[in-house]
Amino acid sequence: KESGKASWVRFEARMRHDMTAHARLAGELHDAILGGQLRLLYQPVYDLVTGRMHGAEALVRWQHPSRGFVSPADFIPVAEKSGLIVPLGAWVLREACSQLARWQAALGADAVEAINVNVAVRQLRETGFVDEVAAVLSDTGLCPANLIIEVTESSVADGPQVTDTLRTLHDMGVRLALDDFGTGQSSLSLLRAFPVDVLKLDKSFVDGIADGADRGRLAVAAAVAQLVEYLQLKAVAEGIESEAQLIRLRDMGYRYGQGYFMARPLPPGECAELMAAAPQAAFPH
Ligand code: C2E
Ligand code: MG
Ligand code: MG
Ligand code: MG
């Protein structure tokens, strides 16, 4: 009983500590959004067959004045819990679309086709989200098809309101991608209920793909490729780190890919250089 009580006290203290740490980080994130401490990097998405850059995924970065670089894996969950993801996400959407418009103005509309933007479920639950997207598209002059909104399977399963929002966006011509595909629940039934355009195979299925050691993951990767073909969707493989993985995935039917092997997330200027460059003949056949 004594020790039970002691561990409860420890638990309570820990919780209080976590809550203040969380509250502090949320407060700082609020200042970061207003104070311009956020940046976007862009990771190229390549057509694995032609070697052309098809588009780029916007990935947010936080340069904290004293803590230094804070990973999105740490602050996105805080932003989601506190609701700050709504203004943060609004900034990301507008900045990413403006960047694509600048690239298209500088390099021609054919130089790069799409910008991928991650959108959290909290944003999709906001009643004004569709209007926000429409306003950004009209202000930046992008075609709706230039925008690919990345959502997770759990977002799609959130409920009828979110599904309606996604359907409306799709009807407007905005494209929808299911991110981290294969890691969530009920993937297959979702695909029938929801107008998805792109499936992004999660990196965890790409990791062991070249050595073939993990037959379970290999089977998922192959099944997803088949599904994409039957449903006439686009397949993107995430987290390609080697030439052997690239070849294996392309042979399986993955037309598009992202990963450190081709390019890391880059500042806009460096991404533009890759866009302007000739197609990556470097991709081995
Ligand atoms: P995600 O959307 O699945 O993005 C892919 C992550 O994999 C990125 O991590 C990217 O840098 C990393 N990655 C890409 N290729 C490779 C590779 O070859 N090897 C390895 N080891 N990693 C690779 P990042 O930028 O740290 O972002 C982590 C997650 O944070 C994202 O996962 C996304 O869920 C979230 N996130 C990032 N930016 C935003 C945003 O603007 N809004 C929202 N809601 N979430 C965001
Ligand atoms: Mg993503
Ligand atoms: Mg992903
Ligand atoms: Mg991921």
Side-chain angles (χ1 to χ4, degrees):
K1 203 173 179 189
E2 271 301 292
S3 83
K5 195 175 173 194
S7 65
W8 169 247
V9 170
R10 269 203 307 278
F11 173 70
E12 237 191 1
R14 212 194 123 68
M15 263 197 41
R16 218 176 301 121
H17 173 78
D18 284 354
M19 277 167 63
T20 45
H22 179 277
R24 196 178 329 116
L25 197 62
E28 290 175 353
L29 187 54
H30 183 252
D31 297 341
I33 298 167
L34 298 175
Q37 293 166 25
L38 300 180
R39 293 277 176 281
L40 292 183
L41 295 184
Y42 297 88
Q43 186 176 36
V45 178
Y46 279 100
D47 182 327
L48 301 181
V49 175
T50 64
R52 281 192 71 229
M53 195 193 297
H54 172 260
E57 178 175 5
L59 294 161
V60 69
R61 297 290 180 262
W62 180 8
Q63 195 58 48
H64 189 283
S66 58
R67 293 179 207 244
F69 168 77
V70 187
S71 165
D74 294 327
F75 71 84
I76 291 291
V78 173
E80 288 187 12
K81 275 206 200 91
S82 60
L84 284 170
I85 193 71
V86 173
L88 188 156
W91 178 81
V92 169
L93 178 69
R94 186 165 284 276
E95 179 59 28
C97 288
S98 306
Q99 185 56 256
L100 181 63
R102 287 194 287 272
W103 280 329
Q104 291 192 338
L107 303 165
D110 294 336
V112 61
E113 201 183 302
I115 191 81
N116 290 46
V117 177
N118 294 285
V119 171
V121 69
R122 281 286 283 261
Q123 294 174 265
L124 297 170
R125 287 193 202 129
E126 295 285 304
T127 45
F129 187 70
V130 169
D131 292 341
E132 180 187 327
V133 171
V136 167
L137 290 174
S138 115
D139 293 348
T140 55
L142 291 185
C143 302
N146 288 149
L147 175 61
I148 302 178
I149 287 184
E150 297 196 2
V151 297
T152 59
E153 290 160 87
S154 60
S155 302
V156 180
D158 190 64
Q161 197 205 336
V162 165
T163 318
D164 277 356
T165 296
L166 292 171
R167 227 175 250 126
T168 308
L169 289 168
H170 187 260
D171 290 345
M172 280 163 57
V174 172
R175 289 187 279 174
L176 303 175
L178 273 185
D179 205 355
D180 305 335
F181 192 71
T183 59
Q185 313 253 304
S186 63
S187 320
L188 298 179
S189 53
L190 282 177
L191 288 179
R192 295 184 48 223
F194 160 79
V196 63
D197 304 280
V198 179
L199 292 186
K200 297 189 76 173
L201 180 73
D202 192 68
K203 179 181 189 312
S204 57
F205 300 99
V206 170
D207 285 339
I209 210 147
D211 47 44
D214 185 342
R215 295 205 58 83
R217 287 180 189 279
L218 198 75
V220 172
V224 170
Q226 292 257 300
L227 198 63
V228 162
E229 199 186 319
Y230 284 129
L231 298 175
Q232 297 184 294
L233 308 176
K234 283 183 173 175
V236 181
E238 297 193 290
I240 299 176
E241 291 182 345
S242 72
E243 184 177 314
Q245 289 171 346
L246 188 159
I247 292 172
R248 190 74 211 259
L249 288 157
R250 189 176 52 201
D251 288 350
M252 274 184 175
Y254 286 86
R255 177 76 193 254
Y256 301 93
Q258 255 175 288
Y260 294 174
F261 175 68
M262 293 87 90
R264 291 189 172 248
L266 300 168
E270 285 176 47
C271 197
E273 281 171 28
L274 289 182
M275 255 166 224
Q280 299 263 332
F283 288 175
H285 264 279

